[in-house]
Amino acid sequence: MDLQPKNGVNVGNSERLASGVLGGVLVLMATRQRSWLAQPLALIGVSLLGRGFSGKCAVYKQLGVSSAHGGHHLALPGGMFNRTVKVQKTVTVKASPAEVYGFWRQFENLPRFTQNLISVAEKQPGMTHWVARGPNDLHLEWEARIHEDTPNERISWATTEDSPIQHNGSVSFREAPAGRGTEIKVVLRYDIPAGVMGQALAKVLGDEPGQQLDADLRRLKMYLETGEVARTDGQPAGAGRDTTGQMSTNDAILDLSIK
Amino acid sequence: MRALCWNGIKDVRVETVPDPKIINPKDAILKITSTAICGSDLHLYGGYMPGLKHGDILGHEFMGEVVEVGKEVKKLKVGDRVVVPFTIACGNCFFCDEQLWACCDNSNPNAALGAKMFGYTTSGLFGYTHLCGGYAGGQAQYVRVPFADVGPLKVPAHLSDEQVLFLSDIYPTGYMAAENANIRQGDTVAIWGCGPVGQFAIRSALSLGAGRVIAIDDSQERLKMAKQGGALTLNFKEVNVVDVLPEMTGGLGPDSCIDAVGMEAHGYGIGAVYDLAKTKVGLMTDRPNVLRQCIYTCRKGGTVSIIGVYGGVADKIPLGAAFNKGLNFKMGQTHMLRYMKPLLEKIEAGEIDPSFVVTHRAALEDAPKMYSEFAKRGKVVKTVLDPFGARTKVERAREELAPQASR
Ligand SMILES: NC(=O)c1ccc[n+]([C@@H]2O[C@H](COP(=O)([O-])OP(=O)(O)OC[C@H]3O[C@@H](n4cnc5c(N)ncnc54)[C@H](O)[C@@H]3O)[C@@H](O)[C@H]2O)c1
Ligand SMILES: [Zn+2]
Ligand SMILES: [Zn+2]
């Protein structure tokens, strides 16, 4: 899991060059800025410069990622993406489309059932600010605009162009047959950039991003149907738990279950 | 508190662990007064069921007194004396509405894992692997009970613990096995396995109108208890069940066959050797030779009711026999809340006293020894543990002799 090289050099050669150049540009820009942007720009610029010289990046270290081991991997600035992840899941919840829509439309509710979101806030109508948990407690943040909002039917959103993460999503609500409530279908798309931002995002999304959405929707269902999310963390266990957190297996079951 | 923890195959230990606390608003904490060891625990003990972690607290048959409730608990009060079903149900999903309590959609925090194994998740279970939620079990002094207004059943003070404790699992389970067998007045029902579940299935089948029950096992003690419950008995070590059953039923076969053995069936003959070989090399998890016999001997158009637990995959199931004879199948973990109240009424009315099944009583401290005795599937039929009882002199002496073995 830990991608940190031993010598502390975690920034590849070509990226070191790019870092240095970009850092210089930012510092230069900052000196010309009068706005509130100046200070952060300068800070980032200085750290990039330093990184260019040393090949060591504190931010990368925090993120648990590295661009050094390929040697020639360049962290591309936004706009160039090396893969798109699309996931889609459906869950049926015993509640009316109006209730479920109403819950989701308050984007503030999303962290109640998602594993990685810390907060979502609709800062101004139609504009949302998302904060997600990155690796090693780092926060990833982005802005997304609501594109479609059809009450009780569908909501869709997409990140703004300058967002460091390019992502869009939609949720649709359909009355389930036989009075069983509402079928909620969620489709999410992430453009995973090359380089470290991509590595960090990939870490947040996990090995199988579909699984995470699946787990999130199960928790949404629990929350809406029972008012709480089933949990077993924080329960007592014997001393043996410290020696191994592994689950026992009976390999035959896993190998032979119908895929 | 003290609790029985799993530490590997055939390695369970009573340890001091932190007390459970309220985690969710609908939780309650119970101080346990009586707890039992189940045949299902033996599948964990023997390493047949996957999904345990070292340190897991086992136990799913328990009762006690409510000592704390979460802020969303409305019906249950501190001081209530309750028996708790082993399946955890939310009480408000499609499956709970359908009375399919063991299929509850909202009680398994590891639902995705369960779904990977079975296609869709099962409900959470106490003390029964992380696939079933990883809930700490009740072979302990205290336990956390989620959805406390849904599962726990208040029991009247005049009934003893041993009379109502088995409402937590095996009495409803034996009853469901019989109900699932589609018994009509006068029918012949064959039941494989005279463990605690088989014992309750025998008595329930008769109460549902069976003309006769043929009970099968190889343990003298268990067969004797079956006979006391009103069954005819067959020792599968002495006779070939597949030959004898048709003989006993006028060549027709039993109307219903109940598998109260499950994945660890012992057996003789070629099928059993084949099963053992395949489970040993890890190509199969379940040894279905009892299920095979159920299918093979059941009369045409009859019903096979599976109540013994299966966890994975099994080989050489005679599907052709099942299909061509037009058999019916019913199976599953018990939908506890369907049965607890009606069966409590039977106990109150004096129709049955479930404490007949208790053969041993011990302190929780002595549970490891009781596991190893119970695993022999002989004279220890049901053990009731006292979570606060003092350990016996014999066990203390054993511990002094071999301190590392029992700590
Ligand atoms: N479906 C449920 O919800 C549920 C609930 C509780 C228990 N169970 C399961 O029911 C089964 C029985 O539970 P128990 O507590 O009575 O367990 P147990 O292990 O005490 O009883 C099993 C009995 O089957 C006998 N047996 C083994 N091989 C046999 C064979 N070939 N033919 C006939 N009998 C044979 C054993 O001698 C033993 O007496 C277990 O699989 C348990 O996991 C299921
Ligand atoms: Zn049980
Ligand atoms: Zn439910």
Side-chain angles (χ1 to χ4, degrees), chain A residues 27 39 44 68 72 82 88 130 151 165 181 210 258-259:
Chain A
V27 173
Q39 215 188 0
I44 296 170
H72 41 259
N82 68 353
Q88 164 182 330
W130 302 56
I165 285 165
I258 315 310
K259 283 283 147 56

Side-chain angles (χ1 to χ4, degrees), chain A residues 91-92 94 178-180 208 211 214-215 218-259, chain B residues 1 5-7 15 17-18 20-21 23-26 47-48 50-57 90 92-94 97 105-106 108-109 111-113 115-117 130 133-136 144 147 282-285 311-313:
Chain A
V91 69
T92 300
K94 205 179 95 178
R180 289 184 193 175
E208 286 179 60
Q211 267 178 19
D214 180 64
R218 286 177 196 280
R219 281 190 291 264
L220 167 67
K221 178 183 166 67
M222 287 175 182
Y223 189 82
L224 290 175
E225 290 184 345
T226 75
E228 61 183 48
V229 173
R231 283 175 51 190
T232 46
D233 51 316
Q235 292 195 135
R241 176 62 54 82
D242 302 333
T243 57
T244 166
Q246 289 294 311
M247 263 194 261
S248 70
T249 53
N250 184 335
D251 294 341
I253 288 193
L254 299 171
D255 291 352
L256 297 182
S257 16
I258 315 310
K259 283 283 147 56
Chain B
M1 67 166 181
C5 304
W6 186 87
N7 283 287
E15 300 176 28
V17 303
K21 41 184 202 296
I23 294 177
N24 270 337
K26 292 179 177 172
Y48 286 83
L52 281 168
K53 291 183 185 174
H54 284 234
D56 280 350
I57 301 171
C90 80
N92 195 39
C93 67
F94 169 76
D97 288 349
D105 242 349
N106 292 325
N108 186 349
L113 263 181
K116 199 164 192 174
M117 283 240 347
H130 292 261
Y135 286 95
R144 166 194 170 225
F147 301 115
L283 282 173
M284 185 170 70
T285 57
V313 289

Side-chain angles (χ1 to χ4, degrees), chain B residues 32-34 63-64 81 159-166 384:
Chain B
I32 297 172
T33 52
S34 293
M63 62 179 294
R81 176 173 176 246
L159 295 174
S160 70
D161 273 20
E162 284 181 10
Q163 285 177 298
V164 290
L165 174 61
F166 305 121
V384 176

